[in-house]
Amino acid sequence: MTDSKYFTTTKKGEIFELKAELNSDKKEKKKEAVKKVIASMTVGKDVSALFPDVVNCMQTDNLELKKLVYLYLMNYAKSQPDMAIMAVNTFVKDCEDPNPLIRALAVRTMGCIRVDKITEYLCEPLRKCLKDEDPYVRKTAAVCVAKLHDINAQLVEDQGFLDTLKDLISDSNPMVVANAVAALSEIAESHPSSNLLDLNPQSINKLLTALNECTEWGQIFILDCLANYMPKDDREAQSICERVTPRLSHANSAVVLSAVKVLMKFMEMLSKDLDYYGTLLKKLAPPLVTLLSAEPELQYVALRNINLIVQKRPEILKHEMKVFFVKYNDPIYVKLEKLDIMIRLASQANIAQVLAELKEYATEVDVDFVRKAVRAIGRCAIKVEQSAERCVSTLLDLIQTKVNYVVQEAIVVIKDIFRKYPNKYESVIATLCENLDSLDEPEARAAMIWIVGEYAERIDNADELLESFLEGFHDESTQVQLQLLTAIVKLFLKKPTETQELVQQVLSLATQDSDNPDLRDRGYIYWRLLSTDPVAAKEVVLAEKPLISEETDLIEPTLLDELICYIGTLASVYHKPPSAFVEGSRGVVHKSLPPRTGSVESVESPDTAPSGGPAADQPSVIPTQGDLLGDLLNLDLGPPVSGPPMATSSVQMGAVDLLGGGLDTLMGGGGSSFTAAPSTTAPTTVGAPLGSGLGDLFDLTGGVGTLSGSYVAPKTVWLPAMKAKGLEISGTFSRQVGSISMDLVLTNKALQVMSDFAIQFNRNSFGLAPAAPLQVHAPLAPNQSVEISLPLNTVGSVMKMDPLNNLQVAVKNNIDVFYFSTLYPLHILFVEDGKMERQMFLATWKDIPNENETQFQIKDCSLNADAVSSKLQGSNIFTIAKRNVEGQDMLYQSLKLTNGIWVLAELRIQPSNPSFMLSLKCRAPEVSQYIFQAYETILKN
């Protein structure tokens, strides 16, 4: 007979009757009674009153009965803590039972009874079980430590259980190893600062050995643990990859994804030239393809992970396009995900196949899927230039179907194609205009209006088309209203005579009859532009637009790297880091991929610097871009190009902000986020001539005869004359006796005299700012040059730039304001008191975490150790110790930046080898790459 009879409610279920049965002398009757109690408990009846009677049944050899009593105990111990103490004795006895199953059962139950009072009684039995001869008991005890740690972390640490757990990693039984790793990982997750899983090559070797013989969940724990390890070099990374690769053929998809995660992470460290790298890429494709033959839910998880993998390394699956073709019976969520990956893998080689598929999908019945398919055709056109023609004709075929939502999506994507390939496919505009009446979605209407406004000169009845939209202006969505306003202004600037009434009508609708602030503001800006300076209006509104990029929906690279570290978890399905959706007090550790071999990628900087040593008074790492209006000069100023010139001829010379709001008016903001450099008021009478004073004594301009011997790069052109109305600026940076200067040559290549010079820096990573006004002693005549040394300080406003050493400069003269950006060498920021004491150096080196260490190779340098040391000392890089190890010279060096950041270095020099190895350690690892560049510059010049 089955156990279902215990759930039938009969009169016998009364508490007092059960009590009598529990105290019966007959074993069978007792067992029946306990089963009835468990059944009542399962359906939600309160049977806690029977606690003492059930606990009495614990003293038995019958394993089944014992399990039932333990089940009851786990459920009611929390509500009856005083009673639960009665059971402790039995636990202690059961932990010494000759039957390992009973010993393990006792330990497992102990871990599940979450009662503080009892935990200290459980320490002794747990300690014995952790050292038990039977692996089944040891593996159960390992998990119990993690449970106990959750209840009382201090107790577990005091009792030394964590050390015992660490010892279990070396256990001979693979399941014990896996459970020990799982327990330690669980504990480490709730205490990110504790370095519990202190992995080294020996322990990694043990884990890899255990990996082959574990159960599948054991394998997942071990693989996840391996993924957190940082191999010391590419050889170790390769050997780990070789031993993990067989897991890719496992039947369990979770094991496969965990193995993929480890391989994706360690591939970062392998050089792309290695044969093994290519082999590994080939091996990764089949398991990912196999995951797509599972049930839809698993397919979806696999596809979300593949989406990340394809963004990081598209070459893995570039030949597997066919498996992502949609099947008729795929659920919609799988279809949409497959579509996304198809676009990511689309290339010139497979575009014909892809387009044929997409055209097929566009005739399906599922509206969402069809929309996405049409959008995908547009994305293909933008991604693969050779296919654009075919994509456009496919879209036109789809428009001819006259299916409303297909037409609307097609118009939206054709707008993007026009942006990517101007003056190529405009012949299709007539076809688009035929479908104007059928558009009812805001996005499609806005796209069509944009097309009409942008190509108004090619459309004879553009004014009539836009007028038809204007009739229901107030019923349109904001997106359409804004687009309509801009399109009519464009039309007016192209055909002013015919459309004057239309533009006045739309401007009054936008400014007087609308309560949307965005629309009103845009209306007023256009109104003022058109009424004061139609030429400027034309330049602003009809300016050439930049081409749109191929992939607009790629995940941002640092987030992508973090998500690759979470493959096979929820984060990889949500495409969000755990910190975005995990609540509670558990610290979520940000993970990042290891730096590429030989590359100069920096590792994430730690949040807190341990106190003590020179780093204690160090300021926090440079604040990031994006506060206030962000970077006022950041008008796509890549290094080094000049920004857009600007008409500010009425600028007053005596103003504190030398540019008289020039930069601010450019952004339309107030002056708050662009602070003038200290003491930059330029006097109207130009002061001392260049050839006087100390400048002459040390010849500061040319960088020759400098006192401290710091390397000065030759001058380069920063602002070419053709971009600055005839003003050419070239320059370099230098550091002498603790002061930084910007050595400039201004050349007038225009036909008019230049005067009233002034200079201002935008906020930058190290607070560089002019320490004095820009002194040009006399007006600069045509074809004349003047050399100026501008002293700088580092007390200006700070904002993290990209790249870190980017400096954006605005120079004003009587003609205009000009912008350019340049990269300054970091060694001008190395201060003279950067020599650290030996003991302090050792302590700091140990104190800075290993993941903050970055390694670089300085090639083609034929100096010996002494020459290197003296050359670097000239630029304030100080050698603290030198020793010779196996014929290699090792130099230990320190330097300090103007903002208090210390950098420690180890330079390895082999007499016969022209390549040096440089290891840098720093609490702000993002500066390491630039320090390496400074080393290269100084040593090679």
Side-chain angles (χ1 to χ4, degrees), residues 208 223 226-227 237-249 255-270 276-277 279-281 283-285 287 309 312-313 316 564 567 593-594 596:
L208 287 165
L223 287 167
L226 286 173
Q238 181 173 337
S239 89
I240 294 175
C241 288
E242 282 167 356
R243 294 176 69 178
V244 167
T245 312
R247 300 298 107 217
L248 292 173
S249 49
V255 176
V256 174
L257 281 178
S258 291
V260 168
K261 169 168 63 185
V262 175
L263 297 172
M264 285 293 289
K265 206 169 169 184
F266 290 172
M267 272 170 90
E268 282 295 303
M269 298 186 70
L270 302 179
Y276 179 68
Y277 181 85
T279 317
L280 196 52
L281 283 180
K283 284 185 178 168
L284 274 168
I309 293 165
K312 184 72 188 163
R313 300 198 183 282
I316 293 177
I564 291 287
I567 283 177
L593 292 178
R596 266 212 157 292

Side-chain angles (χ1 to χ4, degrees), residues 114 177 396 597 706 744 836 846 857:
R114 303 179 60 83
V177 176
L396 287 176
T597 36
T706 58
L744 300 166
M836 201 183 265
K846 285 179 185 163
Q857 198 174 25

Side-chain angles (χ1 to χ4, degrees), residues 592-650:
S592 61
L593 292 178
R596 266 212 157 292
T597 36
S599 84
V600 287
E601 283 179 31
S602 56
V603 195
E604 201 152 326
S605 63
D607 295 335
T608 51
S611 58
D617 52 59
Q618 158 197 324
S620 61
V621 182
I622 305 143
T624 48
Q625 212 157 340
D627 42 344
L628 288 171
L629 274 177
D631 176 3
L632 269 171
L633 273 172
N634 197 358
L635 292 156
D636 200 16
L637 286 178
V641 277
S642 68
M646 216 203 77
T648 46
S649 47
S650 60

